Amino acid sequence: MATKQAEAMLSKDKKIKSLQQIYQWLRNENDIDSQSKIVDLYDKAIEEEYIISFTGHFSAGKSSIINYILGIDVLPKSPIPTSANIVKVKSGDGVARVYYHDRVTEEYAEPYDIDLIKEYCMDKDTIKQIEINTSEPILPNHATLMDTPGIDAADDADREMTESALHLIDELYYVMDYNHVQSEVNMLFLREMEAQKVPIHIIINQIDKHNEAEISFEAFKERVKQTFDQWKIKPKSIHYTSALDDRLAHNDLKELKATILNSLHKRHFNDDRFQFALEQIIKEHESFLETKFEEKADKVLGNVSDSTASEITHIQSELADLKGIEDQLKEKYDNEIQMTLKNAYLMPASLRDLAEQFLISQQKDFKVGGLFTAKKRTEEEKENRLNKFLNTLQETIDSTVVWKLRDKFNEFIHEYHLQDNELTDRVQNFTVHYTEEDLFSFMKDGAMVNGNYVLNYTNEIASNIKQKFRQESRYLWKLFTHVIKVRNEERKKQLEESLTTLEVNDNVIEEREQFDLELQDKLSQLATVYESKVDSKVESMIQNDIRQLYKTVSVDSKKAEEKVLSEQNHDKEEVTQDKQTATYHVESITELIDNVTSQLDEDESFNHLIRDLQDKKDKLTNRQLTIALFGAFSAGKSSFANAMLSNR
């Protein structure tokens, strides 16, 4: 037991050191966003906090499920998307904290007004996160449930807010509506989460909508499985729930609650997930550095005409790309050969039957024909069986491998501009010719022809064919390499000549190139960040950032509620005043449109805007009104529209 604790402590110390090394680098580079994420991870590692996050398609019942698991009604429930912020719930010191984008965090001590906190949950414009620390022991120590905004294709801000918390998540529970399991929005997000090594669990909620007369529940579950298989998504678990009736058949709600609470108690930290979160932050920082150096370079080229500067940038970019073309194509080339050979079905059942007939004909006691014609007819039959097997095998090789690889190699030639007569001829003639000698080389003397022998024999031939293709592809790649090098040298010479003919000060180009070298040097240094020595002041710097993050001002709940009500009333008064004063006539609006379009008419870049304004003028003049119906898939939009039209 002591050894396990020591290993855990060592693992924690290693994480802390890695975070300090990256933090030190990010602080020096003034990358505030990435630095903030490292501070989040540092605080999480120190506290050994385990976070289970919930997200999902909007209105799938996510908040209701979280409330059920907690055993108290903390989050707002509504038929419209509600939780617009990241909301963290844990057992703690009995306070609710509201983190703002641009002002100090507000803290509400229990008994705080839960309805007021719910109002805050729906405000994403000024508030970035809510943290509810209830004094009730509803969750284990160091355990947190996180509610994130729903994944809605129509609201990128909600999605970005959800993704901004991914580095902190240990497990993700994705909530789907029973009717929208196959939603592309769901599947794309889940596939992205798997790519980021996030352990995902699926909750298919609102199964009270299920109609056994339409489809059995087992058949529905099988369809769900097929959907995930088709998208190549492998969730850790799938739960079927309904928050309306926990006694409903197939309702896993109680089991789900027990599973989540058990997971929070055990807290199996995933080191791979932690490492991947660090790698993602470093990748984001690499983009930050590239943007920073690009901005510096743009300033250097500020005195150069836009077209010339753009041409220089394009040429330099192409010169840089030339260096990686061979490696890039080699990866595609090898992958195509590997996948083609892997998927090639070289020995279908019909061909195995021909192989068996051929093998039988090679047995010592094989004979056909009568007493006087046996020898001649036997030799003819052996020859026929050999040719039939060999010819059919060659046809299979051509159809399953040769033609596919030739097509792909030709695509590579066009994609990378590698037109060369010798290379084109070699690609057109690329093949593997299987011979009689090859067939006989795998026969076993004296072996009895049976099912196992035929299977082993044909498998060995198939493996040998694939090996020959790998060998031929290596020969062909040598020619590809030669053509790439020749083409690159020619193109490099052309690009460098183009650079020298541009009317640009040589110092400007050299300075731009220097920035590129500095960037590459910076990225090389970043690659060794885990080898850097940590300054003794770094820990106190991080702790100070954490203190600033949690710097709060206590707020009286009643006064806050009065303030919210006052602001709401004020907003209503402003809307009323706007409605009273904002009176427009069609004639004045159309006249205004005419004035605007006449002023913009001289500039062709405004043609699109002018057309839009004229369309609106026509609609106003002709009193046209367009009503659009939006809604979820299978929500009944068409039926509703038909009902409205039938009552005209």
Side-chain angles (χ1 to χ4, degrees), residues 459-497:
N459 284 345
E460 287 179 350
I461 288 177
S463 297
N464 181 247
I465 292 168
K466 292 179 181 181
Q467 184 59 37
K468 285 177 180 288
F469 271 108
R470 293 188 183 97
Q471 186 175 3
E472 287 297 317
S473 68
R474 284 195 288 271
Y475 295 147
L476 181 61
W477 175 249
K478 290 179 181 179
L479 184 54
F480 263 102
T481 303
H482 172 72
V483 175
I484 289 170
K485 286 188 166 117
V486 172
R487 181 258 185 190
N488 280 1
E489 285 301 317
E490 292 175 353
R491 186 57 182 157
K492 183 181 178 184
K493 186 177 179 181
Q494 292 172 356
L495 292 170
E496 288 174 343
E497 287 174 355

Side-chain angles (χ1 to χ4, degrees), residues 589-590 592-594 596-597 600-601 604-621 624 626:
I589 296 174
T590 55
L592 184 61
I593 291 174
D594 288 336
V596 172
T597 54
L600 299 177
D601 196 36
E604 293 183 357
S605 61
F606 289 104
N607 285 346
H608 181 70
L609 177 59
I610 291 171
R611 285 195 298 270
D612 284 346
L613 288 171
Q614 288 173 340
D615 287 343
K616 287 179 172 57
K617 176 186 172 184
D618 291 341
K619 287 183 178 181
L620 284 170
T621 305
Q624 292 181 2
T626 300

Side-chain angles (χ1 to χ4, degrees), residues 197-332:
K197 312 297 183 191
V198 179
I200 58 173
H201 304 263
I202 305 300
I203 300 175
I204 298 174
N205 194 33
Q206 301 176 3
I207 61 168
D208 44 273
K209 296 177 180 178
H210 176 73
N211 186 343
E212 193 72 17
E214 293 180 356
I215 181 175
S216 72
F217 199 80
E218 290 305 316
F220 171 72
K221 289 171 70 174
E222 183 59 30
R223 284 190 185 178
V224 170
K225 181 181 180 302
Q226 290 174 1
T227 298
F228 289 128
D229 288 344
Q230 288 168 0
W231 282 83
K232 297 180 180 178
I233 296 170
K234 298 179 180 178
K236 302 294 181 184
S237 63
I238 302 177
H239 304 271
Y240 298 86
T241 64
S242 169
L244 291 181
D245 184 1
D246 58 7
R247 295 170 298 178
L248 194 68
H250 311 292
N251 193 353
D252 297 337
L253 201 56
K254 290 181 180 178
E255 292 80 359
L256 173 66
K257 178 176 181 177
T259 299
I260 291 174
L261 292 178
N262 184 55
S263 183
L264 289 172
H265 275 288
K266 290 185 176 179
R267 297 191 299 150
H268 291 303
F269 290 98
N270 187 334
D271 288 337
D272 289 340
R273 172 73 192 123
F274 173 81
Q275 193 60 42
F276 191 84
L278 292 188
E279 290 172 7
Q280 287 298 108
I281 293 172
I282 288 176
K283 283 183 181 177
E284 291 170 11
H285 177 62
E286 287 175 352
S287 299
F288 169 86
L289 289 176
E290 289 167 0
T291 302
K292 188 164 85 170
F293 276 89
E294 191 65 34
E295 289 172 352
K296 286 183 180 180
D298 288 343
K299 288 180 181 178
V300 171
L301 293 173
N303 296 326
V304 183
S305 69
D306 289 343
S307 60
T308 304
S310 175
E311 193 171 351
I312 292 171
T313 302
H314 177 76
I315 290 173
Q316 290 178 332
S317 175
E318 190 173 346
L319 280 168
D321 290 343
L322 286 178
K323 299 175 184 177
I325 281 178
E326 185 174 340
D327 290 340
Q328 185 185 78
L329 179 54
K330 184 66 165 68
E331 183 178 353
K332 289 184 178 180

